Amino acid sequence: MATPAPDRLVLVRQYRHPAVRALWEVPAGTAEPGEDPLAGAIRELREETGYRAASMTPLEALYTTPGFCDEIMYFYHATELSPGEQALDEDERIEVATVSSADAWRLVSNGEIADCKTVLALLWLESGRGEVRGGFDR
């Protein structure tokens, strides 16, 4: 596993039972009880991808579906990644890839990225809000 270039995105592909198929997504997960959201993001990035980030910039915290639950999703932009080994749970099968933004948008267009958190992250990066500027074209 090589260090990704600054203009590349790290995505994970895993089977999602509710969707009944595998999807490409930004790395994500659930914080452990009492765990700080940033600590959870650092841990999930390492576990799912093997990468460690020299910097994690907070982007936003949003309610996922405030009409019926109080879940808050915290978004971070990980930069200066160093490769390492995944630390998957016994039942996890996660493929890791680095892609250009144009390739990520193609995955959205063909339905291989089909979750709101990933599309929102792509839009933030494209707008410059996630600090990666330029090179994010459809």
Side-chain angles (χ1 to χ4, degrees):
M1 176 187 304
T3 300
D7 64 343
R8 305 285 286 183
L9 307 170
V10 175
L11 297 178
V12 296
R13 184 173 187 261
Q14 57 186 322
Y15 186 81
R16 295 301 194 180
H17 291 284
V20 194
R21 64 190 175 118
L23 297 172
W24 286 102
E25 305 172 10
V26 293
T30 303
E32 301 294 336
E35 185 178 38
D36 174 74
L38 175 59
I42 292 167
R43 179 184 49 75
E44 287 288 345
L45 177 67
R46 183 188 51 78
E47 288 177 359
E48 290 191 354
T49 70
Y51 287 111
R52 290 182 177 4
S55 176
M56 293 283 277
T57 304
L59 295 175
E60 190 60 75
L62 301 170
Y63 287 103
T64 58
T65 48
F68 67 88
C69 76
D70 63 357
E71 178 186 29
I72 297 174
M73 187 172 291
Y74 296 86
F75 291 81
Y76 295 90
H77 181 211
T79 57
E80 302 175 57
L81 301 179
S82 301
E85 295 293 320
Q86 288 175 301
L88 300 175
D89 291 338
E90 188 175 304
D91 62 343
E92 284 184 309
R93 304 292 177 267
I94 297 177
E95 180 182 348
V96 180
T98 59
V99 301
S100 68
S101 70
D103 288 339
W105 285 114
R106 277 190 279 284
L107 291 170
V108 171
S109 294
N110 71 21
E112 291 186 71
I113 289 177
D115 70 296
C116 290
K117 76 178 177 312
T118 301
V119 173
L120 182 56
L122 292 173
L123 288 170
W124 274 336
L125 290 171
E126 185 175 90
S127 73
R129 184 165 178 190
E131 297 184 18
V132 172
R133 298 173 197 265
F136 279 78
D137 55 356
R138 291 189 213 186

